[in-house]
Amino acid sequence: TFGSRGSKALSSGINMFRKTFATRMGDAAGAAMFMTMIAGISSALIVLWLFAAVYTAKAYNKAIKENRVVC
């Protein structure tokens, strides 16, 4: 429940910035800049997630191979 509500609140907060861009730059240019920023931030988060997933997979495989507990 915490993750669901937290992600909804974060998404609402991010979407509030869209109006700021629209008033400062105009509707079309503001929307384009907002989407560009969100795409860049999302791409960075995906890359970070990918590195974390690869690291976790390597740690898991090593632990299984050595028959030990990771945590």
Side-chain angles (χ1 to χ4, degrees):
T1 301
F2 176 77
S4 174
R5 304 227 186 246
S7 62
K8 285 180 184 180
L10 181 63
S11 297
S12 294
I14 290 171
N15 281 328
M16 288 172 52
F17 284 115
R18 185 171 42 144
K19 188 175 183 180
T20 304
F21 283 105
T23 48
R24 289 188 181 180
M25 305 173 103
D27 288 335
M33 180 59 79
F34 178 75
M35 291 302 293
T36 302
M37 284 184 48
I38 295 301
I41 292 168
S42 296
S43 297
L45 288 173
I46 289 170
V47 169
L48 287 172
W49 177 85
L50 183 62
F51 282 121
V54 169
Y55 172 77
T56 303
K58 285 182 181 181
Y60 172 78
N61 288 332
K62 185 177 177 182
I64 293 297
K65 190 180 211 181
E66 296 173 357
N67 197 21
R68 67 178 175 88
V69 178
V70 176
C71 301

Short mmCIF file of all heavy atoms in Angstrom, two decimals:
data_model
loop_
_atom_site.label_atom_id
_atom_site.label_comp_id
_atom_site.label_asym_id
_atom_site.label_seq_id
_atom_site.Cartn_x
_atom_site.Cartn_y
_atom_site.Cartn_z
N THR A 1 0.82 -1.18 0.00
CA THR A 1 0.00 0.00 0.00
C THR A 1 0.87 1.26 0.00
O THR A 1 0.57 2.20 -0.72
CB THR A 1 -0.92 0.01 1.23
OG1 THR A 1 -1.73 -1.16 1.20
CG2 THR A 1 -1.79 1.24 1.25
N PHE A 2 1.94 1.24 0.77
CA PHE A 2 2.81 2.42 0.83
C PHE A 2 3.42 2.73 -0.54
O PHE A 2 3.44 3.88 -0.96
CB PHE A 2 3.92 2.20 1.86
CG PHE A 2 4.90 3.33 1.91
CD1 PHE A 2 4.57 4.52 2.56
CD2 PHE A 2 6.14 3.22 1.32
CE1 PHE A 2 5.47 5.57 2.61
CE2 PHE A 2 7.04 4.27 1.36
CZ PHE A 2 6.70 5.44 2.01
N GLY A 3 3.90 1.72 -1.23
CA GLY A 3 4.50 1.93 -2.55
C GLY A 3 3.50 2.44 -3.56
O GLY A 3 3.80 3.32 -4.37
N SER A 4 2.28 1.91 -3.52
CA SER A 4 1.24 2.33 -4.45
C SER A 4 0.88 3.80 -4.22
O SER A 4 0.82 4.59 -5.16
CB SER A 4 0.02 1.45 -4.29
OG SER A 4 -1.05 1.92 -5.07
N ARG A 5 0.63 4.15 -3.00
CA ARG A 5 0.24 5.54 -2.69
C ARG A 5 1.40 6.50 -2.90
O ARG A 5 1.22 7.63 -3.36
CB ARG A 5 -0.28 5.63 -1.28
CG ARG A 5 -1.42 4.67 -1.03
CD ARG A 5 -2.56 5.34 -0.34
NE ARG A 5 -3.55 4.34 0.00
CZ ARG A 5 -4.75 4.31 -0.53
NH1 ARG A 5 -5.09 5.20 -1.42
NH2 ARG A 5 -5.61 3.38 -0.18
N GLY A 6 2.59 6.06 -2.56
CA GLY A 6 3.76 6.91 -2.75
C GLY A 6 4.03 7.19 -4.22
O GLY A 6 4.37 8.31 -4.60
N SER A 7 3.88 6.17 -5.06
CA SER A 7 4.11 6.38 -6.49
C SER A 7 3.04 7.28 -7.10
O SER A 7 3.33 8.09 -7.98
CB SER A 7 4.18 5.05 -7.23
OG SER A 7 2.96 4.35 -7.12
N LYS A 8 1.81 7.16 -6.63
CA LYS A 8 0.76 8.06 -7.11
C LYS A 8 1.05 9.50 -6.71
O LYS A 8 0.87 10.43 -7.51
CB LYS A 8 -0.61 7.63 -6.55
CG LYS A 8 -1.17 6.41 -7.21
CD LYS A 8 -2.53 6.08 -6.60
CE LYS A 8 -3.07 4.79 -7.18
NZ LYS A 8 -4.38 4.45 -6.60
N ALA A 9 1.50 9.71 -5.49
CA ALA A 9 1.82 11.06 -5.03
C ALA A 9 3.00 11.64 -5.80
O ALA A 9 2.97 12.81 -6.20
CB ALA A 9 2.13 11.03 -3.54
N LEU A 10 4.02 10.85 -6.04
CA LEU A 10 5.17 11.30 -6.80
C LEU A 10 4.77 11.65 -8.23
O LEU A 10 5.19 12.68 -8.77
CB LEU A 10 6.27 10.24 -6.80
CG LEU A 10 7.54 10.60 -7.54
CD1 LEU A 10 8.21 11.80 -6.89
CD2 LEU A 10 8.48 9.41 -7.56
N SER A 11 3.95 10.83 -8.85
CA SER A 11 3.49 11.10 -10.21
C SER A 11 2.68 12.39 -10.27
O SER A 11 2.83 13.18 -11.20
CB SER A 11 2.64 9.94 -10.73
OG SER A 11 3.41 8.77 -10.80
N SER A 12 1.83 12.60 -9.29
CA SER A 12 1.05 13.84 -9.25
C SER A 12 1.96 15.05 -9.09
O SER A 12 1.73 16.09 -9.73
CB SER A 12 0.05 13.79 -8.11
OG SER A 12 -0.91 12.80 -8.33
N GLY A 13 2.96 14.92 -8.27
CA GLY A 13 3.91 16.02 -8.09
C GLY A 13 4.67 16.34 -9.36
O GLY A 13 4.88 17.51 -9.70
N ILE A 14 5.08 15.32 -10.09
CA ILE A 14 5.79 15.52 -11.35
C ILE A 14 4.87 16.17 -12.38
O ILE A 14 5.26 17.09 -13.11
CB ILE A 14 6.36 14.19 -11.87
CG1 ILE A 14 7.51 13.74 -10.97
CG2 ILE A 14 6.83 14.33 -13.31
CD1 ILE A 14 8.00 12.35 -11.24
N ASN A 15 3.63 15.71 -12.44
CA ASN A 15 2.69 16.28 -13.41
C ASN A 15 2.34 17.73 -13.11
O ASN A 15 1.94 18.46 -14.02
CB ASN A 15 1.42 15.44 -13.48
CG ASN A 15 1.61 14.20 -14.31
OD1 ASN A 15 2.37 14.21 -15.26
ND2 ASN A 15 0.91 13.15 -13.95
N MET A 16 2.51 18.17 -11.88
CA MET A 16 2.26 19.57 -11.55
C MET A 16 3.27 20.49 -12.24
O MET A 16 2.96 21.65 -12.54
CB MET A 16 2.28 19.78 -10.04
CG MET A 16 1.08 19.19 -9.35
SD MET A 16 1.15 19.21 -7.55
CE MET A 16 1.54 20.90 -7.19
N PHE A 17 4.46 19.99 -12.52
CA PHE A 17 5.47 20.79 -13.22
C PHE A 17 5.09 21.05 -14.68
O PHE A 17 5.58 21.99 -15.29
CB PHE A 17 6.84 20.11 -13.16
CG PHE A 17 7.50 20.25 -11.83
CD1 PHE A 17 7.74 19.14 -11.05
CD2 PHE A 17 7.89 21.49 -11.34
CE1 PHE A 17 8.35 19.25 -9.82
CE2 PHE A 17 8.50 21.62 -10.11
CZ PHE A 17 8.74 20.49 -9.35
N ARG A 18 4.26 20.22 -15.25
CA ARG A 18 3.86 20.39 -16.65
C ARG A 18 3.18 21.73 -16.86
O ARG A 18 3.44 22.42 -17.85
CB ARG A 18 2.94 19.24 -17.07
CG ARG A 18 2.59 19.27 -18.52
CD ARG A 18 1.87 18.03 -18.92
NE ARG A 18 0.89 17.63 -17.92
CZ ARG A 18 -0.27 17.08 -18.21
NH1 ARG A 18 -0.60 16.85 -19.45
NH2 ARG A 18 -1.09 16.72 -17.25
N LYS A 19 2.34 22.13 -15.93
CA LYS A 19 1.66 23.41 -16.04
C LYS A 19 2.65 24.57 -15.96
O LYS A 19 2.49 25.57 -16.65
CB LYS A 19 0.60 23.53 -14.94
CG LYS A 19 -0.28 24.73 -15.08
CD LYS A 19 -1.39 24.75 -14.06
CE LYS A 19 -2.29 25.94 -14.27
NZ LYS A 19 -3.37 25.99 -13.30
N THR A 20 3.67 24.43 -15.14
CA THR A 20 4.70 25.46 -15.04
C THR A 20 5.40 25.66 -16.36
O THR A 20 5.62 26.79 -16.80
CB THR A 20 5.73 25.07 -13.95
OG1 THR A 20 5.05 24.86 -12.72
CG2 THR A 20 6.78 26.15 -13.78
N PHE A 21 5.75 24.58 -17.03
CA PHE A 21 6.39 24.68 -18.34
C PHE A 21 5.46 25.31 -19.36
O PHE A 21 5.89 26.10 -20.20
CB PHE A 21 6.85 23.30 -18.83
CG PHE A 21 8.10 22.82 -18.18
CD1 PHE A 21 8.05 21.83 -17.21
CD2 PHE A 21 9.33 23.35 -18.50
CE1 PHE A 21 9.19 21.38 -16.59
CE2 PHE A 21 10.49 22.91 -17.90
CZ PHE A 21 10.42 21.92 -16.94
N ALA A 22 4.19 24.95 -19.31
CA ALA A 22 3.22 25.48 -20.28
C ALA A 22 3.04 26.98 -20.11
O ALA A 22 2.94 27.71 -21.10
CB ALA A 22 1.89 24.76 -20.14
N THR A 23 3.02 27.47 -18.88
CA THR A 23 2.83 28.91 -18.67
C THR A 23 4.09 29.70 -19.02
O THR A 23 4.00 30.81 -19.52
CB THR A 23 2.42 29.22 -17.22
OG1 THR A 23 3.28 28.54 -16.33
CG2 THR A 23 1.00 28.87 -16.96
N ARG A 24 5.24 29.14 -18.81
CA ARG A 24 6.48 29.87 -19.09
C ARG A 24 6.88 29.82 -20.57
O ARG A 24 7.44 30.78 -21.08
CB ARG A 24 7.63 29.31 -18.26
CG ARG A 24 7.50 29.66 -16.81
CD ARG A 24 8.73 29.26 -16.06
NE ARG A 24 8.55 29.59 -14.64
CZ ARG A 24 9.46 29.37 -13.73
NH1 ARG A 24 10.60 28.82 -14.05
NH2 ARG A 24 9.23 29.71 -12.48
N MET A 25 6.61 28.71 -21.25
CA MET A 25 7.11 28.53 -22.60
C MET A 25 6.01 28.46 -23.66
O MET A 25 6.32 28.39 -24.84
CB MET A 25 7.96 27.26 -22.68
CG MET A 25 9.08 27.19 -21.69
SD MET A 25 9.87 25.61 -21.74
CE MET A 25 11.32 26.04 -22.66
N GLY A 26 4.79 28.39 -23.24
CA GLY A 26 3.70 28.18 -24.18
C GLY A 26 3.28 26.72 -24.14
O GLY A 26 4.03 25.86 -23.64
N ASP A 27 2.11 26.43 -24.66
CA ASP A 27 1.58 25.07 -24.55
C ASP A 27 2.43 24.03 -25.27
O ASP A 27 2.84 23.04 -24.68
CB ASP A 27 0.14 25.02 -25.08
CG ASP A 27 -0.84 25.71 -24.13
OD1 ASP A 27 -0.53 25.79 -22.93
OD2 ASP A 27 -1.89 26.15 -24.61
N ALA A 28 2.72 24.25 -26.53
CA ALA A 28 3.44 23.25 -27.32
C ALA A 28 4.89 23.11 -26.88
O ALA A 28 5.39 22.01 -26.66
CB ALA A 28 3.38 23.59 -28.80
N ALA A 29 5.59 24.24 -26.75
CA ALA A 29 7.00 24.20 -26.35
C ALA A 29 7.15 23.70 -24.91
O ALA A 29 8.08 22.94 -24.60
CB ALA A 29 7.63 25.58 -26.49
N GLY A 30 6.22 24.08 -24.04
CA GLY A 30 6.28 23.62 -22.66
C GLY A 30 6.06 22.12 -22.56
O GLY A 30 6.75 21.44 -21.80
N ALA A 31 5.10 21.61 -23.33
CA ALA A 31 4.85 20.17 -23.32
C ALA A 31 6.04 19.40 -23.87
O ALA A 31 6.42 18.36 -23.35
CB ALA A 31 3.60 19.85 -24.13
N ALA A 32 6.66 19.94 -24.93
CA ALA A 32 7.83 19.28 -25.52
C ALA A 32 9.00 19.25 -24.54
O ALA A 32 9.68 18.22 -24.38
CB ALA A 32 8.23 19.98 -26.81
N MET A 33 9.24 20.36 -23.86
CA MET A 33 10.34 20.42 -22.89
C MET A 33 10.07 19.50 -21.70
O MET A 33 10.97 18.81 -21.22
CB MET A 33 10.54 21.86 -22.40
CG MET A 33 11.66 22.00 -21.40
SD MET A 33 13.26 21.47 -22.02
CE MET A 33 13.70 22.87 -22.99
N PHE A 34 8.84 19.47 -21.24
CA PHE A 34 8.46 18.59 -20.13
C PHE A 34 8.69 17.13 -20.51
O PHE A 34 9.28 16.37 -19.74
CB PHE A 34 6.99 18.83 -19.76
CG PHE A 34 6.50 17.93 -18.67
CD1 PHE A 34 6.86 18.16 -17.35
CD2 PHE A 34 5.67 16.86 -18.95
CE1 PHE A 34 6.41 17.33 -16.34
CE2 PHE A 34 5.21 16.03 -17.95
CZ PHE A 34 5.58 16.27 -16.63
N MET A 35 8.24 16.74 -21.69
CA MET A 35 8.42 15.36 -22.13
C MET A 35 9.89 15.01 -22.31
O MET A 35 10.32 13.90 -21.99
CB MET A 35 7.65 15.11 -23.43
CG MET A 35 6.14 15.14 -23.25
SD MET A 35 5.56 13.93 -22.06
CE MET A 35 5.92 12.42 -22.90
N THR A 36 10.68 15.95 -22.80
CA THR A 36 12.11 15.72 -22.95
C THR A 36 12.78 15.49 -21.60
O THR A 36 13.59 14.57 -21.44
CB THR A 36 12.77 16.91 -23.68
OG1 THR A 36 12.14 17.09 -24.94
CG2 THR A 36 14.25 16.69 -23.87
N MET A 37 12.43 16.33 -20.63
CA MET A 37 13.01 16.16 -19.30
C MET A 37 12.59 14.85 -18.66
O MET A 37 13.42 14.14 -18.08
CB MET A 37 12.60 17.33 -18.40
CG MET A 37 13.36 18.60 -18.66
SD MET A 37 12.95 19.93 -17.53
CE MET A 37 13.04 19.14 -15.95
N ILE A 38 11.31 14.52 -18.76
CA ILE A 38 10.82 13.28 -18.16
C ILE A 38 11.46 12.06 -18.83
O ILE A 38 11.82 11.08 -18.17
CB ILE A 38 9.28 13.22 -18.23
CG1 ILE A 38 8.69 14.34 -17.36
CG2 ILE A 38 8.75 11.87 -17.81
CD1 ILE A 38 9.08 14.28 -15.90
N ALA A 39 11.62 12.13 -20.16
CA ALA A 39 12.25 11.02 -20.88
C ALA A 39 13.71 10.85 -20.43
O ALA A 39 14.18 9.72 -20.25
CB ALA A 39 12.18 11.25 -22.38
N GLY A 40 14.42 11.95 -20.23
CA GLY A 40 15.80 11.87 -19.77
C GLY A 40 15.92 11.30 -18.37
O GLY A 40 16.77 10.44 -18.10
N ILE A 41 15.06 11.76 -17.49
CA ILE A 41 15.07 11.25 -16.11
C ILE A 41 14.69 9.77 -16.08
O ILE A 41 15.33 8.97 -15.39
CB ILE A 41 14.12 12.08 -15.22
CG1 ILE A 41 14.67 13.50 -15.06
CG2 ILE A 41 13.91 11.43 -13.87
CD1 ILE A 41 13.70 14.47 -14.45
N SER A 42 13.70 9.40 -16.86
CA SER A 42 13.27 7.99 -16.91
C SER A 42 14.38 7.11 -17.47
O SER A 42 14.62 6.01 -16.98
CB SER A 42 12.01 7.85 -17.77
OG SER A 42 10.94 8.53 -17.19
N SER A 43 15.07 7.60 -18.50
CA SER A 43 16.17 6.83 -19.08
C SER A 43 17.28 6.62 -18.07
O SER A 43 17.86 5.53 -17.97
CB SER A 43 16.71 7.54 -20.32
OG SER A 43 15.72 7.62 -21.31
N ALA A 44 17.60 7.66 -17.31
CA ALA A 44 18.64 7.54 -16.28
C ALA A 44 18.24 6.53 -15.21
O ALA A 44 19.07 5.71 -14.78
CB ALA A 44 18.91 8.90 -15.65
N LEU A 45 16.98 6.55 -14.81
CA LEU A 45 16.51 5.58 -13.81
C LEU A 45 16.54 4.15 -14.35
O LEU A 45 16.87 3.21 -13.62
CB LEU A 45 15.10 5.93 -13.36
CG LEU A 45 14.98 7.17 -12.47
CD1 LEU A 45 13.52 7.51 -12.21
CD2 LEU A 45 15.72 6.96 -11.17
N ILE A 46 16.23 3.99 -15.63
CA ILE A 46 16.28 2.66 -16.24
C ILE A 46 17.71 2.14 -16.26
O ILE A 46 17.97 0.97 -15.96
CB ILE A 46 15.67 2.68 -17.64
CG1 ILE A 46 14.16 2.87 -17.54
CG2 ILE A 46 16.01 1.42 -18.43
CD1 ILE A 46 13.48 3.15 -18.86
N VAL A 47 18.67 3.00 -16.59
CA VAL A 47 20.08 2.59 -16.61
C VAL A 47 20.54 2.21 -15.20
O VAL A 47 21.22 1.18 -15.02
CB VAL A 47 20.97 3.70 -17.21
CG1 VAL A 47 22.44 3.42 -17.00
CG2 VAL A 47 20.67 3.86 -18.70
N LEU A 48 20.17 3.01 -14.20
CA LEU A 48 20.53 2.67 -12.82
C LEU A 48 19.90 1.34 -12.40
O LEU A 48 20.56 0.51 -11.75
CB LEU A 48 20.08 3.77 -11.87
CG LEU A 48 20.88 5.05 -11.92
CD1 LEU A 48 20.22 6.13 -11.06
CD2 LEU A 48 22.30 4.81 -11.44
N TRP A 49 18.64 1.12 -12.77
CA TRP A 49 17.96 -0.13 -12.44
C TRP A 49 18.67 -1.30 -13.12
O TRP A 49 18.83 -2.37 -12.52
CB TRP A 49 16.50 -0.07 -12.88
CG TRP A 49 15.78 -1.35 -12.65
CD1 TRP A 49 15.18 -1.76 -11.51
CD2 TRP A 49 15.61 -2.43 -13.58
NE1 TRP A 49 14.64 -3.01 -11.68
CE2 TRP A 49 14.89 -3.44 -12.94
CE3 TRP A 49 16.01 -2.61 -14.91
CZ2 TRP A 49 14.57 -4.63 -13.58
CZ3 TRP A 49 15.68 -3.79 -15.54
CH2 TRP A 49 14.97 -4.78 -14.87
N LEU A 50 19.10 -1.10 -14.36
CA LEU A 50 19.78 -2.18 -15.09
C LEU A 50 21.08 -2.57 -14.38
O LEU A 50 21.37 -3.76 -14.20
CB LEU A 50 20.07 -1.74 -16.51
CG LEU A 50 20.72 -2.76 -17.42
CD1 LEU A 50 19.82 -3.97 -17.60
CD2 LEU A 50 21.05 -2.15 -18.76
N PHE A 51 21.87 -1.57 -13.96
CA PHE A 51 23.10 -1.87 -13.24
C PHE A 51 22.81 -2.59 -11.92
O PHE A 51 23.52 -3.53 -11.55
CB PHE A 51 23.92 -0.61 -12.99
CG PHE A 51 24.69 -0.14 -14.19
CD1 PHE A 51 24.47 1.12 -14.70
CD2 PHE A 51 25.63 -0.95 -14.80
CE1 PHE A 51 25.16 1.56 -15.81
CE2 PHE A 51 26.33 -0.52 -15.91
CZ PHE A 51 26.10 0.74 -16.41
N ALA A 52 21.80 -2.15 -11.20
CA ALA A 52 21.43 -2.81 -9.94
C ALA A 52 20.98 -4.24 -10.19
O ALA A 52 21.33 -5.15 -9.42
CB ALA A 52 20.33 -2.02 -9.25
N ALA A 53 20.22 -4.47 -11.25
CA ALA A 53 19.74 -5.82 -11.56
C ALA A 53 20.90 -6.75 -11.92
O ALA A 53 20.94 -7.90 -11.49
CB ALA A 53 18.72 -5.77 -12.69
N VAL A 54 21.84 -6.25 -12.72
CA VAL A 54 22.99 -7.07 -13.10
C VAL A 54 23.84 -7.39 -11.87
O VAL A 54 24.27 -8.54 -11.68
CB VAL A 54 23.83 -6.36 -14.18
CG1 VAL A 54 25.17 -7.05 -14.40
CG2 VAL A 54 23.05 -6.29 -15.49
N TYR A 55 24.08 -6.40 -11.01
CA TYR A 55 24.85 -6.63 -9.78
C TYR A 55 24.16 -7.66 -8.88
O TYR A 55 24.81 -8.57 -8.36
CB TYR A 55 25.05 -5.32 -9.03
CG TYR A 55 25.67 -5.52 -7.67
CD1 TYR A 55 27.04 -5.77 -7.56
CD2 TYR A 55 24.91 -5.49 -6.52
CE1 TYR A 55 27.62 -5.97 -6.31
CE2 TYR A 55 25.47 -5.70 -5.28
CZ TYR A 55 26.83 -5.93 -5.18
OH TYR A 55 27.39 -6.15 -3.96
N THR A 56 22.86 -7.52 -8.73
CA THR A 56 22.11 -8.45 -7.88
C THR A 56 22.15 -9.86 -8.44
O THR A 56 22.30 -10.83 -7.69
CB THR A 56 20.65 -7.97 -7.74
OG1 THR A 56 20.66 -6.64 -7.22
CG2 THR A 56 19.85 -8.87 -6.82
N ALA A 57 22.02 -9.98 -9.75
CA ALA A 57 22.07 -11.30 -10.38
C ALA A 57 23.44 -11.95 -10.19
O ALA A 57 23.52 -13.15 -9.90
CB ALA A 57 21.74 -11.18 -11.86
N LYS A 58 24.50 -11.17 -10.34
CA LYS A 58 25.84 -11.72 -10.13
C LYS A 58 26.04 -12.16 -8.68
O LYS A 58 26.62 -13.22 -8.42
CB LYS A 58 26.90 -10.70 -10.53
CG LYS A 58 27.05 -10.54 -12.02
CD LYS A 58 28.15 -9.56 -12.36
CE LYS A 58 28.28 -9.39 -13.85
NZ LYS A 58 29.35 -8.46 -14.20
N ALA A 59 25.59 -11.35 -7.74
CA ALA A 59 25.72 -11.70 -6.32
C ALA A 59 24.91 -12.95 -6.00
O ALA A 59 25.38 -13.83 -5.27
CB ALA A 59 25.26 -10.54 -5.44
N TYR A 60 23.73 -13.06 -6.57
CA TYR A 60 22.89 -14.24 -6.35
C TYR A 60 23.56 -15.49 -6.93
O TYR A 60 23.64 -16.52 -6.24
CB TYR A 60 21.53 -14.02 -6.99
CG TYR A 60 20.66 -15.25 -6.97
CD1 TYR A 60 20.00 -15.64 -5.81
CD2 TYR A 60 20.50 -16.04 -8.11
CE1 TYR A 60 19.21 -16.77 -5.79
CE2 TYR A 60 19.72 -17.17 -8.09
CZ TYR A 60 19.07 -17.53 -6.94
OH TYR A 60 18.30 -18.65 -6.91
N ASN A 61 24.02 -15.40 -8.16
CA ASN A 61 24.66 -16.57 -8.78
C ASN A 61 25.91 -16.99 -8.03
O ASN A 61 26.18 -18.19 -7.87
CB ASN A 61 24.98 -16.28 -10.24
CG ASN A 61 23.74 -16.24 -11.10
OD1 ASN A 61 22.73 -16.89 -10.79
ND2 ASN A 61 23.78 -15.47 -12.17
N LYS A 62 26.69 -16.03 -7.55
CA LYS A 62 27.89 -16.35 -6.77
C LYS A 62 27.51 -17.02 -5.46
O LYS A 62 28.14 -17.99 -5.03
CB LYS A 62 28.69 -15.08 -6.52
CG LYS A 62 30.01 -15.33 -5.83
CD LYS A 62 30.78 -14.03 -5.67
CE LYS A 62 32.07 -14.28 -4.91
NZ LYS A 62 32.82 -13.04 -4.70
N ALA A 63 26.46 -16.53 -4.80
CA ALA A 63 26.02 -17.11 -3.54
C ALA A 63 25.51 -18.54 -3.74
O ALA A 63 25.79 -19.42 -2.92
CB ALA A 63 24.94 -16.25 -2.91
N ILE A 64 24.79 -18.76 -4.81
CA ILE A 64 24.30 -20.12 -5.10
C ILE A 64 25.46 -21.05 -5.38
O ILE A 64 25.49 -22.19 -4.89
CB ILE A 64 23.32 -20.08 -6.29
CG1 ILE A 64 22.05 -19.33 -5.93
CG2 ILE A 64 23.01 -21.47 -6.80
CD1 ILE A 64 21.24 -19.97 -4.82
N LYS A 65 26.42 -20.56 -6.13
CA LYS A 65 27.59 -21.37 -6.47
C LYS A 65 28.39 -21.76 -5.23
O LYS A 65 28.87 -22.89 -5.11
CB LYS A 65 28.47 -20.59 -7.44
CG LYS A 65 29.57 -21.37 -8.07
CD LYS A 65 30.34 -20.44 -9.01
CE LYS A 65 30.90 -21.20 -10.17
NZ LYS A 65 31.66 -20.35 -11.07
N GLU A 66 28.52 -20.82 -4.28
CA GLU A 66 29.29 -21.05 -3.07
C GLU A 66 28.43 -21.58 -1.91
O GLU A 66 28.96 -21.79 -0.82
CB GLU A 66 29.98 -19.76 -2.64
CG GLU A 66 31.00 -19.27 -3.65
CD GLU A 66 31.55 -17.89 -3.31
OE1 GLU A 66 31.10 -17.29 -2.30
OE2 GLU A 66 32.43 -17.43 -4.04
N ASN A 67 27.14 -21.76 -2.14
CA ASN A 67 26.21 -22.27 -1.15
C ASN A 67 26.26 -21.45 0.15
O ASN A 67 26.43 -21.96 1.24
CB ASN A 67 26.48 -23.74 -0.85
CG ASN A 67 25.29 -24.39 -0.16
OD1 ASN A 67 24.18 -23.89 -0.24
ND2 ASN A 67 25.55 -25.49 0.51
N ARG A 68 26.10 -20.12 0.00
CA ARG A 68 26.10 -19.22 1.15
C ARG A 68 24.92 -18.26 1.09
O ARG A 68 24.29 -18.11 0.06
CB ARG A 68 27.40 -18.45 1.26
CG ARG A 68 27.64 -17.47 0.15
CD ARG A 68 28.95 -16.71 0.39
NE ARG A 68 29.24 -15.85 -0.74
CZ ARG A 68 28.81 -14.60 -0.85
NH1 ARG A 68 28.09 -14.06 0.10
NH2 ARG A 68 29.10 -13.89 -1.91
N VAL A 69 24.65 -17.62 2.21
CA VAL A 69 23.57 -16.66 2.31
C VAL A 69 24.09 -15.29 1.91
O VAL A 69 25.17 -14.88 2.33
CB VAL A 69 22.99 -16.63 3.74
CG1 VAL A 69 21.90 -15.60 3.87
CG2 VAL A 69 22.49 -18.00 4.12
N VAL A 70 23.34 -14.52 1.12
CA VAL A 70 23.78 -13.23 0.64
C VAL A 70 23.67 -12.16 1.73
O VAL A 70 24.57 -11.37 1.93
CB VAL A 70 22.97 -12.79 -0.61
CG1 VAL A 70 23.36 -11.40 -1.04
CG2 VAL A 70 23.17 -13.77 -1.73
N CYS A 71 22.57 -12.10 2.43
CA CYS A 71 22.36 -11.02 3.42
C CYS A 71 23.07 -11.31 4.71
O CYS A 71 22.80 -12.09 5.49
CB CYS A 71 20.87 -10.84 3.71
SG CYS A 71 19.93 -10.44 2.26
#
